[in-house]
Structures are given as C-alpha cells and as structure tokens.
Amino acid sequence: MSNIEERVKKIIIEQLGVKEEEVKAEASFENDLGADSLDTVELVMALEEEFETEIPDEEAEKIKTVQAAIDYVKAHSDD
Amino acid sequence: MSLENKVALVTGASRGIGKAIAQQLVAAGAKVIGTATSENGAAAISEYLGDNGKGMALNVTDSEQVAEVLKAIEEQFGSIDILVNNAGITRDNLMMRMKEDEWDSVIETNLTAVFRLAKAVIRGMMKRREGRIINISSVVGTTGNPGQVNYCAAKAGLTGFTKSLAKEVAARGITVNCVAPGFIDTDMTKALTEEQKSAIFANIPAARLGAPEEVAAAVAFLASPGAAYITGETIHVNGGMAMI
Ligand SMILES: NC(=O)c1ccc[n+]([C@@H]2O[C@H](COP(=O)([O-])OP(=O)(O)OC[C@H]3O[C@@H](n4cnc5c(N)ncnc54)[C@H](OP(=O)(O)O)[C@@H]3O)[C@@H](O)[C@H]2O)c1
C-alpha cells in the first residue's frame, strides 16, 4: 500500500516541481503546491500513465489534493 | 529540411488548398497523412504522397471515425506533431432562405470538427511539450459576406477557438494559429461566374485569385521551427483584399 503512496507522491514531486516535505496528505495542488489548472490536468495524465488506467473527466475533476490522488489510485488499481 | 521526423495530419487533402499544404509539408521533410471523405480520394492522396505519407478516408463530422483514424496514424506513424484543420464546406444561402441543416452542416464540418481533432491530438502534444495546430479560416470570417452567415460564423468561431487554445497551451510549447485565405483558385471558387469574379477582382488589389500554394506557404511557415513564438495569430493571404 505504501508503495502506491510513494509512487503517487513521486509523480506529484516531478510534475509540480515541489519538495518532498511539501507533499503532505492534505495539501491541495492548486492552493498549496502552486499548480494551475493545466498542471493538474497533466498530473492526472501522469497518474494515468504510471498506473496504466484511464481516469474519467468527472473523476479527474475531484482529484484536487495529494490524499484524493492516493485514494483514487488505491481504489482503482489491482496491485 | 526543417520538418524532418515530424508527422503531420492534413484534413481535406484530396484537392485544393489541402493538397497544396500536404505537398509543401512533404517538401519540408514531414511525413504527411492526408484525408479525403472517400476511399477513392484517400487512394489518390496515397499516390501523390508516395513514400512520404498516406491518404486515409475520414469524415471529420464522425467522432468515431476520427478516433479510429487517429489510432491508425499513431500505430503506423507515431504521434501527430502538426495538425492542419483544412477540411471545409460552404452551403450558401441568404439568411431569409437558409435552412437549419445548412447552418448545422457548416458549423459541424468547419468548427465542431476542429474542436474534435484538436482535442484528439492535444494530449500527445502536451506530453511532448511541442506541437502545431493550424486552422484554415477565411477572410470572410473577419469581413462578413452576404449569403454566408453559417460559413462566416464558423470561420469567425475558429478565431476565438484558436486564441483561447493558444493561451491554454502556450506554456507547453504548442502553438495554435489560423491562416485566412482570401479568394483562392480551387473547386470551392470554381462555381463563381465570370461576372462574379470580375466584381471580386475589383476589390482585390492583386487583381487575381490566389493559388493554393500561396496559402500552403503560410501554413508551412507556421509549422516550421522558426515560427515557435507566433501563437493565437491569423496570417491573412488575400492579395490585399482586406488588410486587418
Ligand atoms: N477556396 C477559397 O477561396 C477559400 C477561401 C477561404 C477559405 N477557404 C478554406 O480553405 C479550406 C480548403 O478549401 P478548398 O477551397 O481547398 O476546398 P475544396 O477544394 O472544396 O476541398 C475541400 C476539402 O475538404 C474535404 N472535406 C469536405 N467535407 C469534409 C468532411 N466532412 N470531412 C472530411 N473532409 C471533408 C474535401 O474532401 P473530398 O475531396 O473527399 O470531398 C476536400 O479535400 C476550407 O476550410 C475553406 O473553407 C477556402
């Protein structure tokens, strides 16, 4: 399980160019991590690739925080 | 050659402006996929492109077909670097007589299809931090033209679409521009009578129709690496007919 968490955080760090300690569970991409809406779209694209899944637009719109991303991936991945 | 290793999709490449664009992109080194609405048209495109690309059948108003063709291109050629939305139609009529289906078909083909195709290629371009989208609009989208409320609305719509998308994706290395032809010598303008033509020439300082190649040259420029800092713009190619 922690594996998923680490992979998600690693992607967030890479995509948004933020420091590891900033990527707290409750951190919001746009409010805390300086992402704009397009960065968030790209972040979802990167998650889709890493976890080989397709995230529908209406789900993607709900992924606004680190925890939401981790939760989504955990709920939808088989590993 | 400046477009070496680039993959370009040109819609409506069977004749007219689209064919000239496909040929000039090939001359600049790109692999070009050109589309026509029929299998025959696609075969003719394959023939003139030779080893430098392929013709494919595509009706741009059919979303499923768009998805299929894009998948086939991806598999055979790789991601699309350059999208040229050239396919277009006219269904002229005075407003008083215009039918709703004449309005709908022009908006679908000339505007909605551009949204559809751009949406299909933008993801790959975002990932690669590089891409060119070039929409063929028209001088009448800016000036207006009696008998063409549908066509002019669609072409003016392209301008707003182009500027908005350009702002969204500029930071990702993708440019989005329009080339707006004036009166160009193609099947679209063959229907004009000599009388109509001479009336038009009176308003064109260059006093002649433009050649498809003269529009294609502007497209090839926007596709080239040298145009990387031009986005949300319209290049008018109209012999001085309207200086905007
Ligand atoms: N000619 C001018 O004076 C002029 C002026 C301003 C702007 N433009 C614009 O320039 C572009 C090209 O015009 P053109 O004069 O070269 O036109 P054209 O000679 O009439 O050729 C139109 C092209 O679009 C394709 N096409 C039509 N409907 C389509 C559909 N539903 N799906 C896919 N492809 C479709 C045609 O394919 P098929 O061969 O299979 O029918 C053909 O390849 C258009 O967007 C037009 O509005 C032209």
Side-chain angles (χ1 to χ4, degrees):
Chain A
M1 277 309 190
S2 73
N3 183 28
I4 286 188
E5 215 166 302
E6 274 163 29
R7 282 159 72 193
V8 170
K9 285 189 174 172
K10 185 164 169 273
I11 288 173
I12 295 170
I13 292 164
E14 276 170 13
Q15 284 290 321
L16 304 182
V18 289
K19 295 201 190 73
E20 198 172 342
E21 57 268 27
E22 290 177 273
V23 187
K24 299 195 183 72
E26 66 282 4
S28 145
F29 302 134
E30 296 194 19
N31 298 331
D32 303 316
L33 301 179
D36 64 18
S37 51
L38 194 59
D39 293 326
T40 312
V41 170
E42 284 190 313
L43 178 61
V44 169
M45 277 166 47
L47 290 170
E48 288 179 331
E49 255 161 53
E50 171 75 17
F51 297 99
E52 288 172 13
T53 170
E54 250 186 59
I55 307 179
D57 287 345
E58 53 283 12
E59 292 292 330
E61 280 160 19
K62 293 185 210 145
I63 304 179
K64 292 186 166 145
T65 63
V66 175
Q67 192 62 49
I70 294 168
D71 289 346
Y72 182 89
V73 175
K74 277 188 181 168
H76 294 86
S77 84
D78 352 289
D79 48 37
Chain B
M1 285 190 288
S2 67
L3 299 181
E4 205 92 41
N5 298 323
K6 299 284 186 220
V7 176
L9 170 61
V10 181
T11 63
S14 52
R15 49 205 167 93
I17 295 170
K19 182 175 183 180
I21 292 169
Q23 287 171 325
Q24 285 199 24
L25 294 181
V26 161
K31 283 267 182 281
V32 176
I33 295 86
T35 75
T37 55
S38 65
E39 288 295 344
N40 273 349
I45 295 172
S46 285
E47 198 156 304
Y48 80 69
L49 288 174
D51 293 337
N52 301 310
K54 191 174 174 179
M56 292 190 184
L58 172 67
N59 176 349
V60 293
T61 64
D62 181 339
S63 331
E64 269 173 41
Q65 224 184 3
V66 169
E68 280 166 25
V69 165
L70 273 120
K71 191 156 167 267
I73 295 172
E74 190 100 353
E75 283 166 7
Q76 294 172 41
F77 296 91
S79 315
I80 294 168
D81 302 291
I82 301 160
L83 168 65
V84 183
N85 284 306
N86 166 79
I89 57 167
T90 51
R91 293 283 180 275
D92 298 353
N93 219 335
L94 292 174
M95 178 66 179
M96 297 279 289
R97 305 225 178 285
M98 186 166 291
K99 312 280 180 297
E100 218 163 294
D101 69 296
E102 290 169 333
W103 170 267
D104 287 342
S105 58
V106 168
I107 298 291
E108 257 295 314
T109 310
N110 296 10
L111 184 58
T112 310
V114 171
F115 161 79
R116 202 171 277 138
L117 280 150
K119 177 138 190 194
V121 301
I122 200 81
R123 190 190 176 97
M125 291 180 176
M126 294 244 300
K127 277 204 291 200
R128 277 172 288 118
R129 292 278 187 271
E130 198 178 347
R132 297 295 159 90
I133 298 178
I134 301 158
N135 300 318
I136 308 304
S137 57
S138 172
V139 64
V140 298
T142 305
T143 61
N145 201 24
Q148 294 196 312
V149 293
N150 50 0
Y151 185 81
C152 297
K155 294 300 190 184
L158 277 183
T159 314
F161 172 91
T162 297
K163 290 179 180 178
S164 303
L165 182 57
K167 286 189 173 179
E168 280 187 28
V169 298
R172 302 299 188 272
I174 304 165
T175 71
V176 191
N177 292 289
C178 287
V179 170
F183 280 90
I184 310 301
D185 192 6
T186 70
D187 291 346
M188 200 175 257
T189 46
K190 285 234 161 60
L192 297 171
T193 62
E194 280 310 314
E195 196 185 343
Q196 283 172 317
K197 279 192 191 166
S198 46
I200 291 165
F201 289 167
N203 293 313
I204 303 177
R208 63 172 177 89
L209 292 175
E213 293 72 26
E214 292 172 310
V215 178
V219 174
F221 166 63
L222 288 171
S224 74
Y229 204 54
I230 301 175
T231 196
E233 263 302 322
T234 295
I235 298 186
H236 289 271
V237 183
N238 61 30
M241 181 185 163
M243 300 180 185
I244 309 138

